[in-house]
Amino acid sequence: MADIKILLVEDDKIEALGIKHILESLDYEVSIIKSHEEAIDEFFNIIPDFILMDTVQNGDNTANKLSSMIKKLNIPIIYLNAPFEESKTQNIGNKEPQEYINNPCDPIELKCAIELAIYKNQVENELNESEGRFRSLVENVEDVFVRYDLIT
């Protein structure tokens, strides 16, 4: 899995280092960014395969902009939630994450969630490509053939 680059957006340095340690022990390459705003600025320097992001950060209202950008680029994402803070997930709104996971993270749960999100993203991409090819075929068909079998 070393070929998978994860962008971790977490403003708490201790939590970020703990999660980074877990992810590196699972053989992921990890970059830590401390704010949503910084993530927007540095995103194309890192070009991650996957994003793990704190749901809401103090004083940071750029999360929707970042989430919108991530969605357009079709990158899987999991949001980190502090335990028992459901109110934070209500602020996510239209971000459409793959999944939420509580922080602190259980390493096995985190690994499964990441692998599932990446797999789901790959399947959705393949489905969209297949749908596009089928749509193109149907839209470009010039003749329609109909075969009737008359049984008398």
Side-chain angles (χ1 to χ4, degrees):
M1 299 253 174
D3 57 334
I4 294 178
K5 287 195 273 185
I6 295 179
L7 174 61
L8 173 59
V9 184
E10 173 60 68
D11 59 345
D12 184 306
K13 187 174 184 172
I14 294 171
E15 287 184 21
L17 291 174
I19 295 167
K20 181 178 182 178
H21 176 72
I22 291 170
L23 293 172
E24 287 177 339
S25 73
L26 298 170
D27 206 24
Y28 293 113
E29 183 182 326
V30 183
S31 297
I32 298 175
I33 299 289
K34 64 181 177 180
S35 72
H36 297 128
E37 187 174 270
E38 186 181 335
I40 290 171
D41 293 340
E42 291 294 319
F43 188 84
F44 292 103
N45 292 333
I46 298 168
I47 309 175
D49 300 303
F50 186 83
I51 298 177
L52 193 59
M53 185 166 73
D54 192 9
T55 51
V56 177
Q57 297 177 347
N58 294 332
D60 188 358
N61 59 3
T62 57
N64 283 332
K65 183 177 178 183
L66 177 60
S67 296
S68 177
M69 182 176 77
I70 293 165
K71 183 179 177 186
K72 288 177 186 172
L73 296 170
N74 199 23
I75 296 173
I77 183 170
I78 292 178
Y79 287 92
L80 295 168
N81 238 3
F84 309 112
E85 293 189 27
E86 280 186 46
S87 61
K88 283 190 173 186
T89 60
Q90 293 171 357
N91 295 327
I92 300 298
N94 61 353
K95 294 179 189 173
E96 300 180 25
Q98 300 289 340
E99 186 174 338
Y100 295 94
I101 193 166
N102 284 334
N103 193 13
C105 306
D106 175 70
I108 295 171
E109 182 183 359
L110 183 59
K111 180 181 184 204
C112 291
I114 290 171
E115 288 179 2
L116 183 62
I118 290 171
Y119 175 75
K120 181 181 175 188
N121 186 264
Q122 288 172 338
V123 169
E124 286 175 355
N125 288 340
E126 290 171 8
L127 179 63
N128 289 337
E129 287 176 18
S130 176
E131 181 182 335
R133 286 191 304 268
F134 180 73
R135 179 175 284 117
S136 176
L137 178 68
V138 169
E139 289 172 352
N140 292 310
V141 169
E142 294 180 18
D143 297 315
V144 175
F145 295 96
V146 179
R147 180 180 172 187
Y148 288 100
D149 209 5
L150 299 174
I151 302 176
T152 51

